[in-house]
Amino acid sequence: MANERHLESVGRELMENALTFYDRLLLQTPNDPLMQVEIAKAQWLAGELREKLGRYEEADKGYVRAIALYEGLIRNDPEHADHYRRDLAGVNINRSTVLQVLRQHQEADDAFTRATRLLDKVPPRLREDLVTEWLIGAGNNNRAIYLHQRGEPASAENTYQQGILVFARLAKKYPTLPSLPLELAKTRTNLAYLWTTANPPPFEKAEALYQEALDGVKPLVEAHRDVPAYAKQLGEIHKNRGILYAKERRFDKALEDFRDAKKIFDGLAAVYPAVTDYRYLAAITDLNLGKLHLDKQDPNGWQAAIEELRLSSKALKQLVEGSKNSTQYRYDWARCLHLLGIALDSQFRQEVQAPAKKLSDAELAALGKGVEAAWDQTLDQWQQLKEPFRGEFQYAADWFNTYIQAFKFHNFQKSRLLKSNPAEAEHHLARRVSLTKELLELKQDDPALTNMVGETLLDLADAQVALQKHAAAAQTIAELAKTVTPAWPKYALAARCLVQCMPIAEKMLTEPERAKTVNGYADSALTMFADALKAGWNGAEFLRTDPAIEPLRTRPAFRPAFEKLLQSLETK
């Protein structure tokens, strides 16, 4: 086992040579049932091997070919049809797992349903052999993982329980086979993790099941120290139980479990550097350690969180760049970057609000740029995951959460810089507008987000007025008017912003452009006020007294239209 990748490569080569041999023979004796059986088995086994190597599309093609062969055998050899149905059910169980990975949801459901119906037709003497029951147990475990990811916890729990019953029965029936208590521990760990992710988690029940899994795996690790699968499962139990303890704010217990898991995964990755799964699990454990420091909400732990999360981010990035099937790696990288953004953001705010030491403006600006870059990088990763996770609730929620965190950061920067550095504040306002518009594209029918876009545009326009950028402010207000309706509560404030542009344009422009521009701002403002009036706005007092409206109230060119508007408001 010193080089697992080498063994997998040799196995693949042998299997593909066998397939070539069988295909050649089938061409010579196309009606020979025995040969078709062997080829069907070879296709099935080749699919399993490719699945283990992460070549899921190729694995699915092999399973499809095996299914076609077994279906032909059922039709053409009724004497052995029950044997073929049993094997065909096994192929469908394997295929449902691959389709789950490929995110072909309906096809995965259909394959698992076909497997269940086929097994119902198989006599107990054939269905209850070791291989078939093992497939049923593993199929239930994989299926439950999938249901959990789809947000169906009740169905997932029931399916896990079925898998546990199968493996518990097999482990008792075949006590000398160590792979059976391993599979039992895997399924128990997964069910305990399902409970861990509940809000709130059934803590005592989950903790007890993790302990059962540990009690089953520890003897295997002691007896078979040269078998990495047992050590890996022990690490999985510690990692997942650490998450449970962290949710219960039992941070010392969580830290102990995470460190045990990290030691195991780092050791496996060192011995088997070609096996990416060990490096992945080590990176995820670093992610959990970083999150643990954040969950403590201790400012003294933010630097530790940043270090752990940077370590995890580096490893996950390498996995993304070095893997053809990098979707899950990229998802976890995005999760890691999100947490890193929170840690950097928290550290930055501490330096602004309660610094341990006085930083220069340049140092503070550099820290802020680092936070902004972290949020931008996270959003970029979520964007790249848009297609494979389209329509999935958890993905949308995670992406949305990053937007909200980034929005809060830019809002903090805007408030901090508006007086001292208005040009920099304008940048953060513009970024807020961009983020909110992107959010609106994700949730187009959300009125709260539409209002948020209006708010950010109005903030941006106000900042541009303060910077004497009348044309930019007017353009921003025009965009606002296309985004929200006149019934929006702050629509009249947007119109006022246009009025504020008038004296700026008068001061900065020359004739004839000056008169044209000022008149345009006045006409647009009056139109917006009138539209707000039609939508139910009652702002007569506002128009009479607000100092910003003075250019409309006092100038002869605009006074008649203004008086007419005011009269309409007062009549209403």
Side-chain angles (χ1 to χ4, degrees), residues 89-270:
V91 180
N92 274 287
I93 288 172
N94 284 136
R95 186 170 185 241
S96 71
T97 301
V98 165
L99 290 169
Q100 288 164 193
V101 175
L102 294 173
R103 319 199 76 75
Q104 297 181 26
H105 303 309
Q106 188 58 55
E107 293 86 346
D109 291 345
D110 293 344
F112 197 83
T113 300
R114 281 194 296 271
T116 303
R117 290 174 179 170
L118 284 163
L119 287 170
D120 287 342
K121 296 179 181 179
V122 175
R125 62 182 175 79
L126 294 177
R127 189 173 63 240
E128 293 174 3
D129 73 293
L130 173 60
V131 173
T132 302
E133 286 216 276
W134 188 94
L135 278 171
I136 293 170
N140 278 312
N141 184 33
N142 291 332
R143 179 72 179 165
I145 294 171
Y146 179 57
L147 291 169
H148 183 190
Q149 292 171 342
R150 278 172 54 173
E152 301 177 34
S155 297
E157 180 173 348
N158 181 57
T159 308
Y160 278 134
Q161 296 285 17
Q162 292 178 42
I164 288 171
L165 287 174
V166 171
F167 284 125
R169 182 171 64 247
L170 287 175
K172 186 175 180 180
K173 188 175 179 180
Y174 303 97
T176 60
L177 291 179
S179 61
L180 295 172
L182 173 65
E183 295 302 322
L184 178 58
K186 284 182 181 179
T187 313
R188 282 173 170 162
T189 303
N190 290 338
L191 176 55
Y193 182 68
L194 172 71
W195 290 335
T196 297
T197 59
N199 286 309
F203 175 78
E204 292 181 358
K205 189 164 66 168
E207 185 184 35
L209 195 56
Y210 280 130
Q211 190 59 52
E212 286 186 53
L214 274 173
D215 292 342
V217 168
K218 281 184 176 179
L220 296 176
V221 175
E222 291 295 326
H224 306 277
R225 292 191 175 276
D226 59 337
V227 180
Y230 304 140
K232 174 189 172 186
Q233 187 56 37
L234 183 61
E236 291 268 21
I237 297 167
H238 283 299
K239 172 177 68 68
N240 290 355
R241 191 174 66 174
I243 296 171
L244 175 69
Y245 284 137
K247 288 189 75 172
E248 289 295 302
R249 303 192 69 77
R250 295 173 62 175
F251 295 127
D252 290 343
K253 298 281 284 184
L255 184 61
E256 182 181 343
D257 264 331
F258 287 147
R259 284 176 174 169
D260 285 343
K262 185 74 164 67
K263 183 178 179 181
I264 291 168
F265 295 140
D266 281 348
L268 288 172

Side-chain angles (χ1 to χ4, degrees), residues 15 379 446 485:
M15 187 62 67
L379 290 168
D446 190 330
T485 69

Side-chain angles (χ1 to χ4, degrees), residues 528-554:
M528 290 185 71
F529 282 131
D531 290 341
L533 167 63
K534 292 175 186 175
W537 177 60
N538 187 7
E541 184 66 20
F542 171 80
L543 288 180
R544 277 196 301 267
T545 60
D546 191 287
I549 311 300
E550 192 68 17
L552 286 180
R553 279 197 297 264
T554 59

Side-chain angles (χ1 to χ4, degrees), residues 491-504:
Y491 200 78
L493 296 180
R496 179 181 69 170
C497 193
L498 282 173
V499 179
Q500 291 175 296
C501 291
M502 294 167 58
I504 301 172

Side-chain angles (χ1 to χ4, degrees), residues 428-448:
H428 290 287
L429 281 163
R431 190 71 184 107
R432 274 179 59 199
V433 170
S434 175
L435 290 171
T436 315
K437 288 161 79 173
E438 289 174 18
L439 262 180
L440 188 59
E441 288 181 11
L442 290 178
K443 302 176 71 175
Q444 294 182 3
D445 298 325
D446 190 330

